[in-house]
């Protein structure tokens, strides 16, 4: 069974600085997708960034980028120029087509200090 | 498009009561899923559907029933509520042909069972 581990229950970052959230996963499959979701206090799940496993190039979306290391099964999220609005719970998730299942990590609470 | 809508937003039940959480989407998505979110555990898949008339169990299906009579609606039924079902419930949908597996989430329903 696939598992996703987020080893940092909570992180803090100063406004305008950079922070990296860690995620590792376990799978025997070669074709899959990885996601980072943001959940602010409103509870809404917001897709931040996604990565296809077959692509070697790391995904980037504005201030958000990932470091995808397939062999190490690592998928970290880097947030540059952190803003107060980035404060939220962040979930790393693994997707496999069979079973239409997203497997989530336990989440990392990100606090942004002004 | 309203996207994925869920009702109610909050609900309190007594142990043994039954109820239905409603989920609807107006994007003509084939795939729909129900997840529950518990503290420290991320989201876990309860049931999912790949089209009208087709449903299957996810990771934590016990105590829940689903049906899919239309593409738009995917209700989740709690047969006899238990305190262990206190959680936040999310409905999600996606197209069957999207290559990236991106799921669209509803706003969630916070359920408390006393």
């Amino acid at each position: 069974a696939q598992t996703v581990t987020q080893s940092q229950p909570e992180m803090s970052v100063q406004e305008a600085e950079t922070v990296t959230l860690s995620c590792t996963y376990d799978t025997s499959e070669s074709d899959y997708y990885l996601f980072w979701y943001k959940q602010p206090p409103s509870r809404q799940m917001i897709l931040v960034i996604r990565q296809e496993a077959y692509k070697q190039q790391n995904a980037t979306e504005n201030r958000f980028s990932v470091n995808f290391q397939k062999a190490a099964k690592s998928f970290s999220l880097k947030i540059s120029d952190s803003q107060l609005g980035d404060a939220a719970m962040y979930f790393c998730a693994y997707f496999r087509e069979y079973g239409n299942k997203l497997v989530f990590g336990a989440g990392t609470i990100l606090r942004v200090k002004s | 498009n309203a996207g994925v809508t869920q009702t109610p937003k909050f609900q309190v039940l007594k142990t043994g009561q039954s109820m239905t959480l409603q989920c609807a989407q107006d994007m003509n998505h084939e795939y729909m899923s129900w997840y529950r979110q518990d503290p420290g555990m991320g989201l876990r898949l309860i049931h999912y559907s790949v089209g009208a008339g087709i449903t299957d169990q996810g990771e934590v299906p016990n105590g829940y029933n689903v049906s899919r009579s239309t593409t738009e609606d995917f209700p989740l039924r709690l047969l006899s509520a238990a305190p262990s079902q206190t959680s936040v419930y999310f409905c999600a949908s996606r197209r069957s042909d999207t290559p990236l597996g991106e799921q669209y989430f509803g706003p969630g329903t916070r359920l408390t069972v006393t």
Side-chain angles (χ1 to χ4, degrees):
Chain A
Q2 292 79 14
T3 58
V4 176
T5 302
Q6 294 179 248
S7 59
Q8 306 152 317
E10 193 169 323
M11 294 282 285
S12 290
V13 63
Q14 200 69 34
E15 204 175 359
E17 294 190 346
T18 296
V19 65
T20 299
L21 308 185
S22 300
C23 173
T24 59
Y25 59 95
D26 186 28
T27 184
S28 57
E29 298 173 350
S30 59
D31 195 14
Y32 49 88
Y33 305 100
L34 296 164
F35 300 89
W36 279 97
Y37 279 90
K38 171 185 177 182
Q39 187 180 45
S42 68
R43 216 166 55 201
Q44 182 70 46
M45 295 290 287
I46 301 165
L47 179 64
V48 174
I49 198 165
R50 57 188 157 218
Q51 174 82 41
E52 298 108 303
Y54 65 87
K55 285 190 176 179
Q56 293 186 344
Q57 186 173 6
N58 290 325
T60 299
E61 289 285 344
N62 301 315
R63 298 183 294 109
F64 299 87
S65 61
V66 298
N67 184 2
F68 173 49
Q69 304 287 332
K70 190 172 184 179
K73 297 179 183 173
S74 170
F75 183 61
S76 61
L77 174 70
K78 185 171 84 171
I79 306 174
S80 304
D81 185 26
S82 296
Q83 300 175 359
L84 294 177
D86 295 334
M89 175 79 89
Y90 286 82
F91 290 100
C92 177
Y94 167 102
F95 178 80
R96 61 185 183 116
E97 188 77 31
Y98 178 75
N100 190 39
K101 181 179 178 180
L102 272 170
V103 180
F104 285 86
T108 297
I109 297 171
L110 177 66
R111 304 192 192 281
V112 181
K113 303 177 198 173
S114 59
Chain B
N1 283 354
V4 180
T5 58
Q6 291 183 238
T7 56
K9 286 189 169 50
F10 301 93
Q11 183 70 48
V12 179
L13 289 178
K14 292 189 186 326
T15 297
Q17 287 184 318
S18 63
M19 80 158 295
T20 299
L21 306 185
Q22 300 292 343
C23 174
Q25 51 91 9
D26 61 358
M27 298 173 283
N28 204 31
H29 287 175
E30 296 90 344
Y31 288 9
M32 296 185 74
S33 305
W34 275 102
Y35 292 84
R36 60 177 287 172
Q37 181 180 15
D38 301 300
M41 301 187 72
L43 281 74
R44 292 179 294 167
L45 182 64
I46 304 171
H47 285 287
Y48 68 97
S49 168
V50 299
I54 306 170
T55 63
D56 206 345
Q57 296 181 351
E59 187 181 356
V60 288
N62 292 342
Y64 307 95
N65 267 1
V66 291
S67 60
R68 184 100 180 268
S69 56
T70 67
T71 300
E72 295 78 19
D73 300 300
F74 190 44
L76 178 72
R77 297 183 188 83
L78 279 70
L79 309 173
S80 178
S84 61
Q85 293 178 304
T86 293
S87 189
V88 179
Y89 292 84
F90 288 95
C91 181
S93 73
R94 72 176 183 96
R95 286 166 45 188
S96 62
D97 61 349
T98 175
L100 299 176
E102 179 182 349
Q103 304 215 22
Y104 294 81
F105 285 86
T109 294
R110 181 177 292 279
L111 176 68
T112 302
V113 183
T114 61

